[in-house]
């Protein structure tokens, strides 16, 4: 099992010296999980796209003991309270997507972009389809979510998802909003 929060650190430093061959190791790691992650999303949520949580096995499933349904929680919910609703902050998909776009920006290597673009497009596809709540002016409401490795929604029953978040819940967590803003802005430039 790995924790993306710790795994990512050496890869961000590879841009400055131009070590793109080694950087592709993490891209291949995520690319190898795409088929599983897309299938899992379809089964769990009935839509396409890929999501990851911070802890994962080599093929993309939740870390050992982090997908325990014996507590009565739904199969889609990683049971570790620190990471179970974080799809955009420390989860890896949005950050790896930005790394891929940065690597293309630095290298202008069209083969690299074509190879790893499924990670980027399927990550954006997940967020586009996953969050159904909108504000009055049509903006997405990112919920359920969490912030700072803690789920902030005291007393909410995770086995049900009402159409609107209860008043005491974390909504539009900044790591996810910032990641999606940066990612969509970069995709539009591409």
């Amino acid at each position: 099992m790995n924790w993306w929060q710790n795994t990512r650190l050496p890869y961000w430093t590879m841009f400055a010296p131009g070590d793109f061959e080694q950087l592709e190791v993490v891209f291949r790691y995520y690319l190898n999980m795409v088929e599983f992650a897309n299938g899992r999303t379809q089964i769990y949520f009935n839509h396409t796209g890929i999501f990851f949580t911070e802890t994962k096995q080599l093929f993309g499933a939740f870390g050992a003991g982090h997908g325990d349904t014996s507590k009565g929680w739904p199969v889609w919910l990683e049971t570790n309270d620190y990471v179970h609703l974080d799809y955009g902050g420390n989860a890896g998909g949005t950050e790896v997507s930005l790394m891929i776009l940065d690597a293309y920006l630095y290298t202008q290597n069209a083969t690299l972009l074509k190879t790893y673009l499924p990670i980027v497009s399927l990550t954006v596809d997940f967020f586009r389809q996953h969050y159904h709540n909108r504000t009055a002016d049509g903006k997405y409401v990112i919920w359920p979510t969490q912030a700072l490795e803690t789920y902030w929604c005291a007393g909410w029953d995770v086995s049900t998802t009402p159409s609107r978040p209860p008043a005491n819940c974390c909504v539009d967590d900044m790591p996810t909003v910032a990641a999606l803003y940066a990612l969509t802005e970069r995709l539009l430039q591409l």
Side-chain angles (χ1 to χ4, degrees):
M1 180 174 77
N2 76 64
W3 291 72
W4 174 247
Q5 176 178 320
N6 302 325
T7 304
R8 68 183 171 192
L9 299 175
Y11 293 101
W12 276 114
T13 64
M14 293 178 184
F15 285 95
D19 196 356
F20 297 105
E21 188 174 308
Q22 290 299 317
L23 186 59
E24 281 195 68
V25 169
V26 78
F27 298 165
R28 283 191 301 273
Y29 170 62
Y30 273 83
L31 188 63
N32 288 335
M33 292 186 279
V34 163
E35 186 177 346
F36 170 82
N38 195 37
R40 172 181 61 184
T41 301
Q42 289 177 4
I43 290 168
Y44 287 2
F45 303 117
N46 198 31
H47 63 75
T48 57
I50 59 175
F51 77 94
F52 301 100
T53 53
E54 185 179 0
T55 60
K56 59 190 128 324
Q57 302 288 352
L58 289 178
F59 58 91
F62 299 148
H66 289 234
D68 182 6
T69 58
S70 68
K71 294 180 180 180
W73 290 7
V75 67
W76 55 264
L77 184 67
E78 182 172 1
T79 55
N80 180 319
D81 291 343
Y82 294 107
V83 297
H84 69 189
L85 290 170
D86 182 6
Y87 300 134
N90 282 324
T94 53
E95 194 168 5
V96 169
S97 294
L98 285 167
M99 287 176 157
I100 291 166
L101 296 176
D102 281 351
Y104 173 70
L105 182 65
Y106 276 81
T107 66
Q108 296 296 300
N109 181 337
T111 302
L112 179 144
L113 180 63
K114 183 178 177 183
T115 301
Y116 302 111
L117 196 57
I119 297 167
V120 180
S121 61
L122 286 167
T123 296
V124 170
D125 190 39
F126 172 82
F127 287 97
R128 183 182 64 81
Q129 294 188 65
H130 192 69
Y131 296 102
H132 303 286
N133 292 322
R134 302 286 187 276
T135 61
D137 58 351
K139 293 180 181 175
Y140 284 84
V141 176
I142 306 296
W143 178 82
T145 191
Q146 65 185 61
L148 301 174
E149 291 192 356
T150 304
Y151 177 59
W152 295 103
C153 196
W156 175 58
D157 179 0
V158 297
S159 65
T160 64
T161 304
S163 61
R164 295 287 178 202
N168 65 342
C169 292
C170 174
V171 176
D172 297 333
D173 67 289
M174 191 48 62
T176 300
V177 170
L180 291 174
Y181 181 84
L183 187 55
T184 55
E185 185 176 75
R186 295 287 304 284
L187 280 170
L188 288 171
Q189 292 171 357
L190 184 63

